[in-house]
Amino acid sequence: MGAAEHQFDHNSSHPGPWAERAPRTVTTLMVGKLICAGAGEQLCRVRNISATGMMLESPFPLRESDSIVVELRGGPVLEGKIMWVSAGRAGVQFSAPIDVEEVLATAKGSSPAARLRRAVPRAPRFQLATTARIVCNGISHAVVMENISQSGARIRLPNQPDLDRVMTLVIPGLSPRSCTVRWIENDVAGVAFIEMLPYAELAAWLNEMQAPR
């Protein structure tokens, strides 16, 4: 049976604590941060979701029965257990039922709190310290990148150079990213990428950087 066919069918060989399948499964495409034992922090996509489970995909090889946590854009955190894996996809049963509409609204920035703040939900950030370079005003400076997302990064600037309006962040293993400064505090700065880092590129890089050595 293919991944798309059995989705969250907990009534087959993996009966869960809920006797009936969730009445409404929402097809979606949300990017999240996957946390799993032995995996570090990986990128994933949630393909569909219901009150009791979700189907996700990730280039990281997942295993049945593993407990996982997925953090979505805007902050919703989903916890559960992998019930099946197939061709880069996995079916997850939540530890407790969720409010699907609330989760989707928060991740898409349409919840009342998000509308009040007029804020765009922040993409999941991955804590992964590595050396990088920032090129500004024609000069290259060594920096430490403390975290990264598809939309930006946090960098530490040991020499506190004067930053240009548009710079280039050069991270080994990724294509150079044109970026702008969002904030600076002491020797730390937040930069936003002018063009979002492609999902496949970031996912492969995270998988390589956190692979067992």
Side-chain angles (χ1 to χ4, degrees):
M1 183 182 294
E5 293 176 298
H6 54 184
Q7 304 204 1
F8 311 130
D9 188 359
H10 304 314
N11 300 317
S12 59
S13 60
H14 301 290
W18 302 286
E20 299 295 334
R21 178 178 173 176
R24 181 168 176 261
T25 297
V26 178
T27 299
T28 184
L29 181 59
M30 297 184 291
V31 174
K33 176 169 69 175
L34 169 67
I35 302 172
C36 181
E41 297 180 345
Q42 300 290 340
L43 203 58
C44 70
R45 283 192 181 115
V46 175
R47 285 288 181 179
N48 54 44
I49 189 169
S50 75
T52 57
M54 63 183 169
M55 181 172 69
L56 59 80
E57 61 181 25
S58 174
F60 186 82
L62 300 173
R63 302 175 302 181
E64 286 188 26
S65 301
D66 277 355
S67 295
I68 65 166
V69 174
V70 173
E71 178 187 333
L72 300 176
R73 177 182 290 271
V77 175
L78 307 173
E79 300 183 30
K81 181 179 179 181
I82 297 176
M83 307 305 292
W84 56 263
V85 294
S86 176
R89 294 188 173 184
V92 178
Q93 181 174 285
F94 295 142
S95 303
I98 66 166
D99 184 327
V100 176
E101 292 186 0
E102 180 179 348
V103 167
L104 293 177
T106 302
K108 295 175 181 178
S110 58
S111 66
R115 289 199 301 268
L116 184 63
R117 296 193 307 269
R118 297 182 180 179
V120 176
R122 193 178 78 168
R125 293 189 175 270
F126 299 86
Q127 308 298 323
L128 190 65
T130 186
T131 56
R133 290 185 295 115
I134 197 83
V135 181
C136 60
N137 299 312
I139 302 174
S140 177
H141 303 271
V143 299
V144 175
M145 187 184 71
E146 297 184 334
N147 67 32
I148 189 171
S149 72
Q150 284 187 277
S151 57
R154 186 176 71 200
I155 59 175
R156 187 170 294 276
L157 308 145
N159 298 321
Q160 296 184 298
D162 292 331
L163 300 179
D164 202 357
R165 186 173 66 85
V166 178
M167 309 171 297
T168 301
L169 180 61
V170 181
I171 305 165
L174 291 174
S175 56
R177 313 305 302 174
S178 294
C179 59
T180 59
V181 178
R182 282 292 180 86
W183 56 266
I184 300 178
E185 184 175 336
N186 298 322
D187 63 343
V188 179
V191 299
F193 299 145
I194 293 176
E195 292 186 4
M196 185 171 288
L197 185 56
Y199 172 90
E201 184 177 356
L202 179 56
W205 184 81
L206 289 168
N207 197 11
E208 173 65 22
M209 290 293 289
Q210 300 186 98
R213 304 297 178 181

